Amino acid sequence: MVWDRQTKMEYEWKPDEQGLQQILQLLKESQSPDTTIQRTVQQKLEQLNQYPDFNNYLIFVLTKLKSEDEPTRSLSGLILKNNVKAHFQNFPNGVTDFIKSECLNNIGDSSPLIRATVGILITTIASKGELQNWPDLLPKLCSLLDSEDYNTCEGAFGALQKICEDSAEILDSDVLDRPLNIMIPKFLQFFKHSSPKIRSHAVACVNQFIISRTQALMLHIDSFIENLFALAGDEEAEVRKNVCRALVMLLEVRMDRLLPHMHNIVEYMLQRTQDQDENVALEACEFWLTLAEQPICKDVLVRHLPKLIPVLVNGMKYSDIDIILLKGDVEEDETIPDSEQDIRPRFHRSRTVAQQHEEDGIEEEDDDDDEIDDDDTISDWNLRKCSAAALDVLANVYRDELLPHILPLLKELLFHHEWVVKESGILVLGAIAEGCMQGMIPYLPELIPHLIQCLSDKKALVRSITCWTLSRYAHWVVSQPPDTYLKPLMTELLKRILDSNKRVQEAACSAFATLEEEACTELVPYLAYILDTLVFAFSKYQHKNLLILYDAIGTLADSVGHHLNKPEYIQMLMPPLIQKWNMLKDEDKDLFPLLECLSSVATALQSGFLPYCEPVYQRCVNLVQKTLAQAMLNNAQPEQYEAPDKDFMIVALDLLSGLAEGLGGNIEQLVARSNILTLMYQCMQDKMPEVRQSSFALLGDLTKACFQHVKPCIADFMPILGTNLNPEFISVCNNATWAIGEISIQMEMQPYIPMVLHQLVEIINRPNTPKTLLENTAITIGRLGYVCPQEVAPMLQQFIRPWCTSLRNIRDNEEKDSAFRGICTMISVNPSGVIQDFIFFCDAVASWINPKDDLRDMFCKILHGFKNQVGDENWRRFSDQFPLPLKERLAAFYGV
C-alpha cells in the first residue's frame, strides 16, 4: 500500500481502504497474548508514526468505524493517546484539528467504553498545554452538560472530571481567564441530577478544588456544603464515597464552615464508616484520621467515643475477602518461592552522622518503622488498616482516657473462640500501644504472657499479628527483669522466625529487629542462641523474607556492637553472608539490604572483620566506579545509555564508611591500593543529594582512619564542602559539617576558614534547625576555633549562645572534648565575646560529668577570671540568676 507522506489535510479526510485494513490487522494482533507478536506490533506502530495521517486513521477507527468491536476501537484511541503524549508537538495542524473536532463530536457515543476513551484522549490533549490552544473545549463541554441526551451529558462530564483531575492548577489561573468562575456554579447545579452517575461526576469535579482552596469554590462554599448534605443519603455508593471524600478534605481546609454542623457530620460519618460498600466505608474512615490531626479533635469527638470506638474496632476484623486474598487458610507455604511482584522496592536510607546523647544511643530523627503494617499483600490500604491507624492516632490524642471505651471490648476479643475476632483484638492491643502505654502497664503482666502463648496459635494470621503487637510493647518488656518476659518472648519469637508460614516469618523477623533495638546489650548472654536461629533461617527463607532477615542481622550487630566480635560468633555468621555476597550479581538490587547488613556487621566486628574485608572493599569501589561511568555515558548520550540506579553507589559508599569505622587504621592498605579518593571527588559533586551525603560521611570516616591518604586531596575537597553547607539539604549539610570537623583536628586549617565559617555561624543561628545538625555544627565551630583561634574568635559573640545550648545535652566524649577546648581557647583570645552570654557558658560547662584534668583547669581559669573581673558583689548578683542545681554544681566542681 502507498502511504502519502505529503497528504494535504482537508477536514473531509477519508481513509485509504488498504491502510485501514492494515491498521485494523495490527489492532487485532496487539490483543494477542503472545509477547513476540506484541513486540512486532510495537515496532510497526513506531514505524507508522513516520506518517502524518497515521493518527487520523486511529481517531477514525475510534469514532467512526462503528462496525468494529468496542475493545478494538477503544484500543485505537489509547494508542492515539500514547502518540499524543509522545509526539503531539509534531502533529501537522490539520491532523490536530481533525482529532479535536472528532473528539468533541463523539463525546456522547452510545458506548460507555468509547465515551471514556474519548474523555481520556481529550484530557491528554488538554494536559499537553493545549487548554490555551483549544479555547472552545471548556465552553463546548460545559454546554454539552445541558444536552437532553444522557450519553452526551455523561460523556462530557466524564471528560470534564478527567480535565479537573489533570489540569486543576491551570484551570485556576489567569492564563485561561478563570473558567472555574463559570464551571463551579455549573457543577453545583448537577448535584441534584436524576442520574447517579452524573451526580457522582459533579461532586468529583468540585472535589478537585477543595485542597487548593480555589477562590471560585470558596465563594460558593456554603452552597457546596449544603448540596453535599443533601446528598448524604444517596442510594449510589459512588456518590456517597465522593461526599465522604469532600467532607474529609473540608476538615483540613474549611473547618470553620463545618464546625456548626460538626455533631451531625460525626453522626453521619459513623454511619458511613459502617457502609455496606467497603469503598465508602474506607473513605469515611479517613475522616477520623484527618480529624485526629486537628487541634479541636479532642473536644469534638469526646461525646462520640462510646459509639466510635466499637465501630473502629469492628472495622479491624479481616473481611472474608481479605482472608481469601491472604490465603488465610494456607498454613504452611515456606517451600513456595515468592513471586517477584510481591517484593516491594526497598529504599536505602543514607548514612547520617549523629552524636550520642545522655539518655540513650543515637537519636533517630525519624522513627517511622512501627506503622500499622501487618498485611501488605492486600491492596495496600483498606478498611482494616485505616481503622487501625485511626485508633492509633486517637490513642495518641486521648491517651489513657480512651481505655474505659476499649478495655471492655478487649476482654471480649482477646479470649474469643473465633480466630478472626481474637486476631482483631490483638491488632487493637497493638494499635493503642503507643498512645495508651501508661494506662496499659497494670494489665501487661497478664497480657504479655497471654500474647506469648498466642505466638503458637494454630492460625498463621494470629501468630503474625501477635509478633507485631508484642513488638509494640518491647520497650516495657525490656524494662522488666530479663527472666520474667524478655527471655520467654525472645525464645518464642526465635521459634516464629523459623515458622513454616512465610507471613509469620516476616512478622517475627521484623518484631525481633524492634526487640533488638530496645534490648541492645541485654541480648549478649543469648547471642549464640540468636545467631543459631538467624543463620538457620538463611537456609530456610524464600526471597522476600531473606531481605528482612538481613535487616534483623544488621540490627543485631548495631545493638550488641563489639560483643559480636568473638571467633565462634564470626564463624557462625560470616560464611552464609559471604556466600550470599558471592552469589549476587552487581546489578541485583538484593545487594542493598545485604550491603547495609554487612556495614553494621563490619562496624561491630571491628578487627574481626579483617579476614573478609578485601573482597568486600574491592567490590564496593567497583560498584561506585561502575555507577559513575554509567552516569557519565547517560549524561553524554541520554538516548543511547540509560541512567544508572545510583542507590548502588550510595549503599556501597555507606558500606565503605562502615568498613573504615570498624577497621580503623587497618583499612589504610586498601585505600592506598585503590582510586577511592578520585571517585569520592566525583561523588561529592553529584547532583543527587543522597550521593553527596554518603560521600561526606565516608570522607569523615577515612579522615579518622587514615588521614595520610586524604590529606593530599583536601585542597580540592574543602571548597566543595563549603558549598554544601546548605541547610536546605539537612543530611548533606550535616555530614559535610561533621567531615570539616574531623579534618580540622588533623591539619592546619587557616586557608580554609573563609570557605566555611560564615555558613557554619549562619546554620547554628537558624531557627528550627534539627538537633543533630546543630550539635555537629557546634562541634565543628569549636574544633576550628581550637586550631585557628585568631580567625574564629572575633565572631564569638555571634555564636556563643546557640553553641552552648546545643552542646549541653550530649555525652562526654572526644568530640565534645575537642569542641570545648576550642571554645576556651577562643574565650582567652576574645573574652568580651562571651560577656553577654556568660550564663549559657556556665550552664554548658556544668553539663560535663568528668572532663579531663587539663580541660577542667581551662574551665576553672575562665570562671575565676570572670568572677575576679566583675568582683564578688556583682558575681553574687549574677549567680543568683542560676537555677539551684547549676549553682551547686559550679560551686562543688569549680569552687565559684
Side-chain angles (χ1 to χ4, degrees):
M1 105 190 210
V2 187
W3 290 90
D4 175 9
R5 272 185 177 278
Q6 295 302 323
T7 318
K8 185 165 183 327
M9 292 294 167
E10 297 301 323
Y11 250 97
E12 284 314 303
W13 177 86
K14 293 274 186 302
D16 166 83
E17 197 44 45
Q18 222 178 334
L20 189 57
Q21 287 316 312
Q22 191 182 341
I23 284 176
L24 286 172
Q25 180 62 33
L26 270 181
L27 291 170
K28 291 278 188 297
E29 283 172 6
S30 73
Q31 294 169 59
S32 145
D34 181 342
T35 44
T36 0
I37 297 184
Q38 285 186 358
R39 223 169 289 139
T40 357
V41 172
Q42 268 323 103
Q43 287 166 344
K44 285 189 184 157
L45 288 175
E46 275 309 303
Q47 289 161 2
L48 290 175
N49 268 316
Q50 309 301 313
Y51 298 95
D53 63 353
F54 170 48
N55 292 304
N56 285 5
Y57 282 88
L58 292 174
I59 189 80
F60 181 85
V61 174
L62 171 66
T63 57
K64 288 233 186 359
L65 209 56
K66 307 272 159 102
S67 54
E68 274 305 319
D69 61 287
E70 287 176 11
T72 302
R73 290 173 57 200
S74 171
L75 184 63
S76 182
L78 293 174
I79 292 172
L80 175 54
K81 174 207 74 164
N82 290 336
N83 286 347
V84 167
K85 266 194 158 137
H87 315 290
F88 191 67
Q89 63 291 348
N90 307 331
F91 285 19
N93 287 345
V95 174
T96 305
D97 294 340
F98 182 55
I99 293 172
K100 285 177 177 177
S101 72
E102 280 301 296
C103 280
L104 285 176
N105 294 337
N106 291 277
I107 192 71
D109 193 283
S110 58
S111 145
L113 178 63
I114 301 299
R115 291 202 296 275
T117 310
V118 172
I120 290 173
L121 189 51
I122 289 177
T123 188
T124 309
I125 295 173
S127 58
K128 289 299 276 186
E130 280 298 299
L131 273 175
Q132 296 95 300
N133 304 333
W134 195 353
D136 53 344
L137 172 64
L138 294 172
K140 177 83 170 139
L141 286 175
C142 285
S143 70
L144 292 175
L145 294 182
D146 298 321
S147 161
E148 294 294 303
D149 173 47
Y150 168 79
N151 292 337
T152 306
C153 174
E154 196 278 324
F157 238 135
L160 279 166
Q161 183 180 333
K162 294 182 182 90
I163 293 171
C164 290
E165 286 167 13
D166 295 341
S167 307
E169 267 178 46
I170 191 163
L171 288 174
D172 185 32
S173 66
D174 288 328
V175 180
L176 298 175
D177 202 19
R178 305 215 171 259
L180 291 178
N181 294 339
I182 298 159
M183 288 162 68
I184 283 180
K186 179 104 186 158
F187 296 153
L188 290 173
Q189 293 167 7
F190 285 86
F191 277 35
K192 299 196 169 70
H193 194 277
S194 59
S195 148
K197 190 104 200 287
I198 303 282
R199 295 197 296 277
S200 173
H201 279 314
V203 183
C205 283
V206 181
N207 281 0
Q208 295 305 320
F209 304 101
I210 299 177
I211 291 293
S212 56
R213 297 185 166 79
T214 300
Q215 187 58 41
L217 175 56
M218 293 304 135
L219 292 171
H220 299 279
I221 195 75
D222 293 325
S223 105
F224 175 44
I225 291 174
E226 207 175 300
N227 276 302
L228 281 176
F229 290 165
L231 291 176
D234 202 285
E235 79 269 13
E236 174 67 23
E238 197 56 32
V239 176
R240 297 198 301 275
K241 187 179 99 178
N242 283 330
V243 169
C244 291
R245 183 173 290 173
L247 289 170
V248 170
M249 291 189 285
L250 286 167
L251 263 188
E252 291 183 51
V253 175
R254 290 308 301 261
M255 179 63 95
D256 57 320
R257 282 296 192 266
L258 296 187
L259 263 180
H261 314 282
M262 210 46 161
H263 178 74
N264 294 339
I265 294 175
V266 170
E267 291 283 324
Y268 173 66
M269 285 300 193
L270 269 169
Q271 278 179 311
R272 287 290 71 86
T273 307
Q274 303 168 76
D275 201 286
Q276 290 310 294
D277 183 298
E278 187 176 329
N279 293 323
V280 179
L282 175 58
E283 208 56 66
C285 194
E286 296 279 354
F287 181 82
W288 314 113
L289 263 180
T290 306
L291 183 59
E293 289 165 3
Q294 305 292 330
I296 59 145
C297 170
K298 205 165 179 178
D299 303 334
V300 166
L301 271 188
V302 76
R303 55 198 270 209
H304 299 280
L305 289 179
K307 277 189 186 165
L308 172 60
I309 298 304
V311 168
L312 291 177
V313 167
N314 197 35
M316 288 161 76
K317 284 205 296 277
Y318 277 126
S319 66
D320 299 345
I321 294 176
D322 290 344
I323 295 170
I324 295 165
L325 287 174
L326 284 169
K327 306 190 178 61
D329 49 349
V330 178
E331 294 300 323
E332 297 192 14
D333 60 357
E334 62 171 345
T335 53
I336 304 166
D338 297 328
S339 73
E340 286 308 303
Q341 64 267 33
D342 283 349
I343 298 173
R344 288 209 188 150
R346 282 184 81 265
F347 299 102
H348 171 68
R349 259 213 294 221
S350 313
R351 219 172 150 98
T352 311
V353 187
Q355 296 303 323
Q356 298 278 318
H357 288 78
E358 276 314 324
E359 62 288 359
D360 57 1
I362 286 188
E363 282 268 302
E364 278 291 341
E365 287 292 322
D366 51 344
D367 183 21
D368 52 8
D369 292 342
D370 298 337
E371 261 125 58
I372 305 256
D373 180 23
D374 53 301
D375 39 329
D376 51 353
T377 35
I378 323 184
S379 76
D380 268 358
W381 191 240
N382 54 24
L383 184 60
R384 167 186 165 93
K385 284 193 169 182
C386 190
S387 305
L391 188 60
D392 183 1
V393 283
L394 288 172
N396 277 298
V397 171
Y398 289 98
R399 301 280 165 189
D400 299 343
E401 294 166 39
L402 206 62
L403 290 177
H405 305 289
I406 289 225
L407 289 171
L409 297 171
L410 267 177
K411 281 202 184 74
E412 202 177 305
L413 300 172
L414 285 172
F415 301 93
H416 203 280
H417 61 278
E418 276 182 62
W419 75 266
V420 178
V421 180
K422 175 173 162 182
E423 193 277 346
S424 71
I426 299 171
L427 173 59
V428 169
L429 191 56
I432 61 171
E434 196 188 332
C436 306
M437 182 55 97
Q438 275 322 102
M440 285 306 294
I441 287 175
Y443 305 97
L444 293 179
E446 64 172 302
L447 279 175
I448 298 293
H450 174 64
L451 287 171
I452 292 175
Q453 258 183 318
C454 294
L455 280 176
S456 37
D457 192 278
K458 60 181 198 301
K459 292 305 282 185
L461 288 171
V462 173
R463 299 197 298 276
S464 62
I465 197 64
T466 306
C467 291
W468 178 75
T469 292
L470 278 163
S471 75
R472 303 268 288 177
Y473 290 96
H475 186 75
W476 180 83
V477 166
V478 171
S479 70
Q480 304 299 302
D483 285 353
T484 332
Y485 307 107
L486 178 60
K487 206 171 165 187
L489 170 58
M490 194 179 60
T491 314
E492 285 307 307
L493 262 185
L494 288 171
K495 286 184 198 157
R496 291 294 67 85
I497 285 180
L498 302 179
D499 200 276
S500 56
N501 178 281
K502 291 194 288 193
R503 165 166 289 102
V504 179
Q505 295 171 357
E506 175 184 5
C509 240
S510 302
F512 196 71
T514 307
L515 185 64
E516 289 169 339
E517 285 176 349
E518 292 290 348
C520 291
T521 48
E522 297 277 334
L523 296 179
V524 173
Y526 318 107
L527 265 174
Y529 182 40
I530 294 171
L531 285 170
D532 227 10
T533 305
L534 296 179
V535 169
F536 187 64
F538 259 113
S539 57
K540 193 174 165 72
Y541 276 14
Q542 298 292 343
H543 186 175
K544 179 181 172 189
N545 286 349
L546 261 183
L547 308 184
I548 297 161
L549 180 62
Y550 294 141
D551 183 55
I553 291 173
T555 309
L556 180 67
D558 293 338
S559 303
V560 300
H562 64 89
H563 297 283
L564 201 54
N565 188 7
K566 289 216 172 80
E568 63 271 30
Y569 297 158
I570 297 176
Q571 239 353 84
M572 292 166 79
L573 182 58
M574 289 308 295
L577 283 175
I578 294 296
Q579 187 202 350
K580 294 287 177 201
W581 166 267
N582 290 332
M583 276 164 47
L584 291 176
K585 295 195 180 62
D586 274 357
E587 18 316 309
D588 194 327
K589 289 208 161 103
D590 287 5
L591 271 177
F592 299 168
L594 178 56
L595 285 160
E596 285 177 44
C597 168
L598 278 170
S599 177
S600 297
V601 170
T603 308
L605 290 185
Q606 297 171 343
S607 59
F609 198 79
L610 271 173
Y612 309 95
C613 67
E614 182 146 12
V616 174
Y617 180 90
Q618 267 333 114
R619 184 167 191 181
C620 287
V621 174
N622 288 343
L623 281 169
V624 176
Q625 189 146 8
K626 265 189 174 170
T627 312
L628 286 171
Q630 180 74 21
M632 283 176 73
L633 288 172
N634 166 257
N635 277 338
Q637 298 165 292
E639 304 80 39
Q640 256 173 303
Y641 298 98
E642 58 182 276
D645 180 342
K646 289 193 177 168
D647 274 352
F648 284 102
M649 169 157 80
I650 296 167
V651 183
L653 290 166
D654 287 348
L655 175 45
L656 288 168
S657 277
L659 288 176
E661 194 179 329
L663 299 172
N666 289 317
I667 202 172
E668 185 272 325
Q669 280 295 294
L670 296 171
V671 175
R673 293 200 298 269
S674 70
N675 60 339
I676 185 64
L677 288 152
T678 321
L679 299 174
M680 278 165 59
Y681 181 62
Q682 289 171 272
C683 293
M684 289 179 196
Q685 299 174 77
D686 197 275
K687 50 181 188 298
M688 188 175 177
E690 291 80 359
V691 175
R692 302 200 301 277
Q693 173 182 338
S694 292
S695 60
F696 294 143
L698 178 55
L699 172 60
D701 283 315
L702 287 180
T703 297
K704 288 171 86 159
C706 53
F707 188 64
Q708 67 271 42
H709 297 305
V710 179
K711 193 172 182 178
C713 313
I714 291 296
D716 294 325
F717 289 171
M718 280 311 290
I720 302 174
L721 286 164
T723 50
N724 277 281
L725 296 177
N726 167 9
E728 236 176 280
F729 300 105
I730 292 292
S731 302
V732 179
C733 182
N734 180 64
N735 290 1
T737 304
W738 175 74
I740 294 167
E742 288 303 328
I743 293 165
S744 62
I745 52 177
Q746 302 272 3
M747 66 178 285
E748 172 52 57
M749 290 297 282
Q750 217 175 338
Y752 306 116
I753 298 282
M755 295 178 189
V756 299
L757 185 60
H758 279 280
Q759 294 94 302
L760 291 168
V761 172
E762 210 167 295
I763 293 166
I764 204 166
N765 281 294
R766 235 171 124 255
N768 304 330
T769 303
K771 200 161 70 190
T772 311
L773 178 55
L774 282 178
E775 290 161 0
N776 279 322
T777 306
I779 286 168
T780 296
I781 291 175
R783 287 175 160 188
L784 287 171
Y786 187 52
V787 291
C788 302
Q790 300 300 334
E791 284 70 21
V792 185
M795 296 189 72
L796 197 53
Q797 202 180 334
Q798 294 175 44
F799 60 74
I800 183 72
R801 187 168 175 167
W803 190 95
C804 292
T805 47
S806 57
L807 288 187
R808 65 186 299 272
N809 293 326
I810 69 168
R811 291 190 197 167
D812 293 8
N813 62 18
E814 283 307 311
E815 297 183 306
K816 186 169 175 175
D817 179 274
S818 55
F820 271 84
R821 286 171 194 277
I823 212 81
C824 292
T825 315
M826 289 188 274
I827 290 174
S828 61
V829 172
N830 176 17
S832 63
V834 73
I835 299 287
Q836 282 177 316
D837 298 303
F838 199 69
I839 185 166
F840 291 94
F841 175 72
C842 297
D843 177 57
V845 165
S847 76
W848 277 88
I849 311 294
N850 37 18
K852 292 181 185 159
D853 290 344
D854 58 336
L855 181 61
R856 178 186 303 235
D857 293 343
M858 293 168 95
F859 291 159
C860 244
K861 208 168 127 191
I862 293 175
L863 292 170
H864 283 281
F866 185 82
K867 181 179 175 179
N868 297 339
Q869 203 180 345
V870 297
D872 286 353
E873 183 53 39
N874 284 336
W875 173 261
R876 199 171 50 252
R877 263 202 304 247
F878 174 66
S879 60
D880 280 345
Q881 310 164 33
F882 292 1
L884 198 59
L886 172 59
K887 207 171 182 169
E888 288 170 353
R889 198 148 180 164
L890 290 176
F893 275 68
Y894 303 101
V896 291

